[in-house]
Amino acid sequence: MPESLKMILVLTLISGAAGLGLSAMNDYTKPLAADNNRKFTLSSINGVIPNAATPDACQKYAPAFDNAPDKDAICVGASTVYRGRKGNEVVGIAVEAIGEEAYSGTITVLVGIRMNDGQLSGLKVLKHAETPGLGSIMTKCEFQQQMVGKGPGDINWTVVKDGGDVNQISGATISSRSLLRAIHKAQDIWKNNREDILNKAPIAEGEVCDGK
Amino acid sequence: MASKETGLGEVLKGIWRDNPVLTLLLGLCPTLAVTNSAYNGIGMGVATGFVLIGSNMFVSILKSIIPKSVRIPVYIVVIATFVTIVDMALKAFMFELSQSLGLFVPLIVVNCVILGRAEAFASKNTVLRSILDAVGMAVGFTLALFVLGAIREIIGSGTLTLFQMGETEVKFFVLGKSYPGILVMILPPGAFLTLGFMMAARNVIQSRLDNK
């Protein structure tokens, strides 16, 4: 057999065997991985729609809803809005909003808003690449305490540096602004998309909101 | 060039004399990037070790049928297959760890330790010796990452995390709960500093042993 033919044959066979093995592995692990992702989403939503009059960011509460919000989501623009219902009434929403122009790319935040008065009921930073120890402080409950439990009219939702009431993280004003941008998006959705939140049919499982 | 070491020597050389991190200085990208906690170090070490053992074994088995001119592509296919398996398994079974290691799991493909051992050792030695060599290298790599991660975590955040999965975690507040932390140790410069001291310490011990 000529050398070139042997090369082609060996590489093809090995790649084929690798592909077969991987597709079997994929079939086996995919449902498990999807289940993990679902559990993670659900536990994040649990944390931002708490059953408390004025929630404290550092306390753990039972969720205020009794449905499965991860299966009851709608898209508003590029944001995913999960609806927490008690009985059939929407008691709170968890908005997966993107904060642009963070220090390093964008941040993804799950913002909990109480339905009747727009109170910020919880915050969870899902994805960020901010500087550890500086921008990453936004994931800490001690920083979030000043915002969680406050209604849209209670404080001026901009950082102190820009004339607002939110103490920016020292050394990470840009990250703080980006987090507030995500919160603003969620508050706007609560204010302007009430009809959609109450009446729109949920998106299919696995569907992604891309703003189109 | 077949190795003349005994079986045990084959394992031990990877841990001390030819330690991939401290002596060969291979695979430094994941070494420096993920070792901001002891648990991340262990996780990365075990994941890399699994790939290393798998790829060394297969390269050694296949060495006689692989044409010389396509050996590198074949090694890469074998390595990439094992990395993808590890990535899928982590996502399915160790969700938190896969989140904190993030992008660095797929990047194991380009870890020079693995390709280096395939080319320099497994392609020239018997299957058993290749596995022993991989086990030694894997243990050496994991130990180095664990020590590096532990030192950085203790000085940087005052804690030592040995295990973390959902709500269960084995975490010690080594320097007390009020320890403020030294940020630079968690950031990349801390990795370079610590690695430098570890290499210096290894060289001092080695030269003492040589002089005896």
Side-chain angles (χ1 to χ4, degrees):
Chain A
M1 190 173 3
E3 185 65 18
S4 59
L5 196 66
K6 195 183 165 200
M7 265 159 51
I8 295 169
L9 198 70
V10 169
L11 199 49
T12 310
L13 279 178
I14 289 178
S15 305
L20 267 179
L22 284 181
S23 77
M25 184 76 185
N26 189 41
D27 284 349
Y28 176 60
T29 58
K30 208 168 189 181
L32 294 167
D35 195 45
N36 281 338
N37 278 326
R38 207 187 73 83
K39 272 192 201 133
F40 178 71
T41 312
L42 192 58
S43 81
S44 306
I45 300 171
N46 278 348
V48 299
I49 311 182
N51 185 16
T54 11
D56 179 325
C58 290
Q59 298 288 321
K60 279 203 162 89
Y61 303 95
F65 51 83
D66 55 15
N67 66 331
D70 57 318
K71 288 186 179 141
D72 189 7
I74 58 167
C75 288
V76 178
S79 309
T80 314
V81 180
Y82 300 100
R83 297 178 287 197
R85 294 169 192 269
K86 179 123 193 159
N88 205 27
E89 182 198 359
V90 179
V91 289
I93 51 171
V95 181
E96 199 177 311
I98 293 183
E100 279 95 9
E101 290 171 57
Y103 192 66
S104 156
T106 60
I107 55 176
T108 309
V109 193
L110 196 66
V111 186
I113 304 269
R114 193 155 70 190
M115 209 49 209
N116 57 7
D117 58 359
Q119 181 200 64
L120 182 77
S121 53
L123 274 180
K124 170 142 183 151
V125 181
L126 297 175
K127 216 186 280 170
H128 78 92
E130 302 301 284
T131 318
L134 288 174
S136 76
I137 289 176
M138 71 170 132
T139 62
K140 296 226 156 91
C141 69
E142 290 86 353
F143 169 72
Q144 297 173 353
Q145 262 174 331
Q146 56 173 329
M147 296 178 277
V148 172
K150 301 284 192 322
D154 291 349
I155 57 169
N156 180 353
W157 292 87
T158 41
V159 292
V160 171
K161 235 185 189 170
D162 301 339
D165 291 326
V166 178
N167 289 309
Q168 66 267 13
I169 304 159
S170 53
T173 310
I174 294 175
S175 310
S176 317
R177 283 196 190 117
S178 179
L179 178 71
L180 280 166
R181 249 174 237 130
I183 296 177
H184 293 160
K185 277 189 192 169
Q187 290 173 332
D188 287 347
I189 288 171
W190 172 76
K191 209 160 45 185
N192 304 328
N193 299 81
R194 209 182 171 79
E195 273 303 299
D196 291 342
I197 295 169
L198 295 179
N199 302 324
K200 213 169 166 184
I203 55 172
E205 211 168 332
E207 197 177 318
V208 182
C209 299
D210 51 11
K212 276 169 203 148
Chain B
M1 179 203 79
S3 175
K4 295 198 175 57
E5 298 269 2
T6 61
L8 186 64
E10 215 71 88
V11 176
L12 290 179
K13 77 169 195 289
I15 298 172
W16 183 259
R17 203 191 72 217
D18 287 342
N19 185 294
V21 176
L22 298 177
T23 321
L24 304 179
L25 297 181
L26 288 176
L28 288 190
C29 163
T31 305
L32 297 171
V34 304
T35 52
N36 48 17
S37 83
Y39 181 56
N40 280 358
I42 299 174
M44 190 67 193
V46 171
T48 308
F50 174 79
V51 176
L52 189 55
I53 293 168
S55 69
N56 249 22
M57 186 172 87
F58 267 80
V59 166
S60 183
I61 292 171
L62 298 171
K63 65 178 183 287
S64 54
I65 65 155
I66 301 173
K68 227 180 166 46
S69 41
V70 288
R71 67 185 195 284
I72 301 288
V74 171
Y75 300 162
I76 300 278
V77 170
V78 171
I79 295 167
T81 307
F82 278 102
V83 171
T84 315
I85 289 174
V86 168
D87 194 28
M88 287 172 178
L90 280 179
K91 282 199 179 112
F93 303 112
M94 304 187 88
F95 186 67
E96 275 89 6
L97 186 62
S98 84
Q99 285 216 317
S100 69
L101 295 180
L103 183 65
F104 291 100
V105 174
L107 278 180
I108 295 174
V109 175
V110 289
N111 189 322
C112 334
V113 176
I114 300 167
L115 188 60
R117 291 330 283 177
E119 168 74 2
F121 197 92
S123 61
K124 292 160 189 150
N125 287 284
T126 61
V127 178
L128 181 66
R129 269 186 194 285
S130 299
I131 293 174
L132 291 175
D133 173 75
V135 169
M137 288 288 159
V139 173
F141 189 73
T142 309
L143 271 180
L145 257 63
F146 168 68
V147 173
L148 188 57
I151 295 174
R152 285 179 69 193
E153 193 187 348
I154 290 172
I155 302 179
S157 355
T159 57
L160 182 65
T161 317
L162 295 182
F163 186 74
Q164 205 169 15
M165 199 170 183
E167 299 285 297
T168 7
E169 55 175 15
V170 184
K171 188 170 177 176
F172 302 101
F173 290 88
V174 184
L175 299 177
K177 283 200 178 179
S178 58
Y179 182 72
I182 298 172
L183 180 59
V184 72
M185 291 304 285
I186 300 296
L187 296 180
F192 282 101
L193 284 171
T194 314
L195 183 64
F197 279 111
M198 280 171 67
M199 283 161 58
R202 188 211 163 268
N203 285 351
V204 168
I205 297 171
Q206 185 63 52
S207 66
R208 292 257 165 90
L209 289 175
D210 289 346
N211 287 343
K212 262 179 195 164

